[in-house]
Amino acid sequence: MKGQGGVDEGSARAIEAAMQRDKGRALERMFQDIGKMEQEIANRAQSFRELKTFLENQRSRFAATPSIWPVKGWVSSGYGYRTSPFTGQRHFHEGLDISAKPGTPVVASADGVVTFSGTLGGFGNVVILTHGHGFTSFYGHNHKNLAPAGKRVLRGESVALE
């Protein structure tokens, strides 16, 4: 038996119309999906910007945090209460005194800016570094200051000689 038949002209138009409707719905769904993807991309881009800002702040905080010994030596007076070598009275010592051989390099314990370099009362030659994020380092009793005021220094860079 031979196959016969086919689509008459009315049916062909109905099929074409149905295909056009489906194509229109598919395009509409595609544009909706593209809109959702654009919003997701914008949200992720904002998240990445916030993450980048956070990580840059963390890197800056780490660079400003004193984390190495400024000089190779021994602790001659610790932080806390002690008998003052000047008055003989008990008082709070806010620093950490490290003794070393003369000529020993004194290095920045963190990145910072030299905010003072000169002589200061009973401390002799002094270098003060401001690191940012609330950190400041005070290097006193130096034989010779090497870093001038205003200089930006990196952790480990020599700022004075003991």
Side-chain angles (χ1 to χ4, degrees):
M1 177 174 231
K2 277 185 164 180
Q4 279 189 353
V7 180
D8 63 35
E9 201 171 305
S11 296
R13 280 194 297 269
I15 292 171
E16 180 66 29
M19 288 174 61
Q20 286 299 324
R21 278 192 309 273
D22 285 347
K23 189 194 246 182
R25 284 189 207 117
L27 282 173
E28 186 178 313
R29 281 191 304 271
M30 185 177 71
F31 284 124
Q32 287 173 349
D33 289 346
I34 288 172
K36 288 177 185 175
M37 285 190 278
E38 286 174 335
Q39 184 59 48
E40 181 65 24
I41 289 168
N43 290 343
R44 287 187 185 201
Q46 179 61 30
S47 291
F48 284 130
R49 283 190 295 276
E50 290 171 6
L51 179 60
K52 181 181 181 219
T53 298
F54 172 77
L55 291 174
E56 286 171 345
N57 189 40
Q58 290 300 99
R59 180 177 42 203
S60 172
R61 182 179 299 276
F62 173 73
T65 303
S67 61
I68 63 172
W69 286 91
V71 66
K72 290 182 181 175
W74 59 96
V75 176
S76 57
S77 185
Y79 178 83
Y81 284 98
R82 70 173 187 177
T83 301
S84 169
F86 303 107
T87 66
Q89 301 295 313
R90 182 173 153 89
H91 83 289
F92 193 80
H93 182 235
E94 295 181 0
L96 184 68
D97 293 347
I98 305 169
S99 294
K101 294 179 183 176
T104 302
V106 178
V107 301
S109 58
D111 295 359
V113 175
V114 177
T115 51
F116 181 83
S117 182
T119 57
L120 189 62
F123 297 103
N125 288 323
V126 171
V127 173
I128 299 175
L129 297 182
T130 300
H131 305 289
H133 298 279
F135 295 108
T136 302
S137 295
F138 182 99
Y139 307 106
H141 308 293
N142 302 315
H143 174 71
K144 180 181 181 184
N145 292 347
L146 300 176
K151 182 175 189 216
R152 183 159 220 11
V153 295
L154 300 176
R155 177 183 283 121
E157 186 175 339
S158 292
V159 296
L161 298 175
E162 179 69 26

